[in-house]
């Protein structure tokens, strides 16, 4: 798949509003998980850089997606420095996500027209990320910062800053509806979709069902 620019990724975020995230050291598990998410309707997916072999797994996963999952857009998460941003981008990452603000990553993404989503939790951090060139600001861990009410309050002085909500988002109409009503541009979920017990039991149908439920709820909001 060709590299997409900031505008193209922004359009996909506007359309789907959902970016699930996952990481595992076993590439075969990753392939099954992303296939299951794809079957459930996911078209934006974040693979997080949380294991020692994450780059190698990502490279193989990116090739798998290009060959077997038409239309899926794979990004890299937990990218804390320029070295990792460059390495993952060169191996096919279509967007870059992090829980923190790293200016050198922002400059690299800007210079290469890469969609960048750094994280923040306070009003100062969210504005800082926006001013540093963020295309989307990740608020994490959102549910522990005050929930949808916190986001709604932040949106008062910053109505034009687009945010991705992760950390404690639940796969229910009540939870998802509250976040979008409060002003979220998109949401991300990990463990509430990709349950360890289901993966251990190779019950990938469970993942597809949970993902399809989330997609159905979000599409209906």
């Amino acid at each position: 798949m060709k590299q997409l620019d900031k505008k193209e990724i922004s359009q996909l975020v506007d359309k789907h509003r959902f970016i699930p995230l996952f990481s595992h050291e076993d590439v075969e598990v990753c392939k099954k998980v992303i296939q299951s998410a794809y079957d459930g309707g996911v078209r934006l997916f974040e693979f997080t850089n949380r294991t020692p072999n994450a780059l190698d797994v990502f490279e193989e996963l990116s090739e798998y997606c290009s060959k077997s999952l038409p239309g899926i857009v794979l990004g890299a998460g937990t990218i804390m420095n320029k070295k990792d941003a460059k390495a993952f981008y060169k191996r096919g990452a279509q967007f870059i996500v992090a829980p923190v603000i790293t200016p050198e990553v922002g400059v690299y993404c800007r210079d290469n027209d890469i969609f960048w989503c750094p994280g923040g939790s306070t009003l100062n951090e969210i504005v800082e990320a926006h001013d540093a060139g963020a295309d989307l600001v990740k608020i994490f861990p959102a549910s522990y910062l005050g929930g949808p009410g916190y986001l709604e309050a932040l949106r008062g002085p910053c109505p034009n800053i687009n945010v991705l909500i992760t950390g404690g988002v639940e796969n229910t109409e009540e939870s998802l509806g509250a976040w979008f009503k409060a002003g979220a541009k998109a949401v991300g979920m990990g463990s509430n979709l990709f349950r360890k017990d289901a993966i251990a039991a190779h019950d990938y149908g469970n993942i597809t069902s949970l993902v399809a439920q989330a997609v159905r709820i979000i599409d209906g909001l």
Side-chain angles (χ1 to χ4, degrees):
M1 183 177 183
K2 76 177 183 71
Q3 295 288 145
L4 303 179
D5 60 29
K6 288 172 174 278
K7 182 178 179 180
E8 290 170 312
I9 297 295
S10 292
Q11 289 171 341
L12 289 170
V13 171
D14 287 344
K15 178 180 179 181
H16 296 290
R17 301 187 292 163
F18 184 34
I19 310 176
L21 59 151
F22 181 75
S23 180
H24 199 285
E25 61 186 8
D26 187 331
V27 69
E28 296 305 319
V29 169
C30 292
K31 288 178 182 178
K32 289 182 174 68
V33 165
I34 198 168
Q35 175 72 65
S36 301
Y38 182 84
D39 292 343
V42 160
R43 292 301 178 268
L44 292 166
F45 194 96
E46 175 191 342
F47 177 82
T48 56
N49 177 28
R50 295 183 181 177
T51 63
N53 66 336
L55 184 59
D56 291 335
V57 171
F58 182 87
E59 183 172 18
E60 191 169 341
L61 190 61
S62 178
E63 292 174 359
Y64 173 76
C65 289
S66 295
K67 294 177 182 177
S68 304
L69 305 179
I72 199 157
V73 176
L74 182 65
T78 320
I79 303 300
M80 308 289 207
N81 56 62
K82 179 181 176 181
K83 178 183 176 182
D84 286 344
K86 187 174 182 179
F88 278 86
Y89 179 65
K90 291 198 169 194
R91 286 161 178 78
Q94 296 281 6
F95 56 91
I96 299 293
V97 183
V100 297
I101 305 161
T102 309
E104 66 173 9
V105 175
V107 171
Y108 176 76
C109 290
R110 181 197 65 200
D111 291 347
N112 291 277
D113 204 18
I114 305 167
F115 188 95
W116 180 46
C117 178
S121 56
T122 67
L123 183 57
N124 278 341
E125 291 168 348
I126 292 164
V127 172
E128 180 185 349
H130 177 74
D131 290 347
D135 301 285
L136 189 66
V137 180
K138 174 176 178 172
I139 297 182
F140 171 86
S143 65
Y144 303 100
L145 294 170
Y150 181 67
L151 174 59
E152 189 172 5
L154 291 175
R155 295 284 293 169
C158 302
N160 298 319
I161 297 180
N162 294 324
V163 298
L164 167 70
I165 296 297
T166 64
V169 178
E170 297 178 6
N171 190 13
T172 65
E173 187 170 353
E174 180 181 8
S175 176
L176 292 166
W179 284 114
F180 282 109
K181 184 178 179 181
K185 170 66 72 170
V187 298
M189 282 189 276
S191 58
N192 282 337
L193 297 175
F194 312 121
R195 292 169 45 185
K196 289 183 179 180
D197 57 343
I199 293 171
H202 306 288
D203 184 7
Y204 294 102
N206 174 270
I207 292 174
T208 297
S209 296
L210 290 174
V211 169
Q213 175 179 314
V215 170
R216 183 171 62 251
I217 292 170
I218 293 168
D219 285 348
L221 294 173

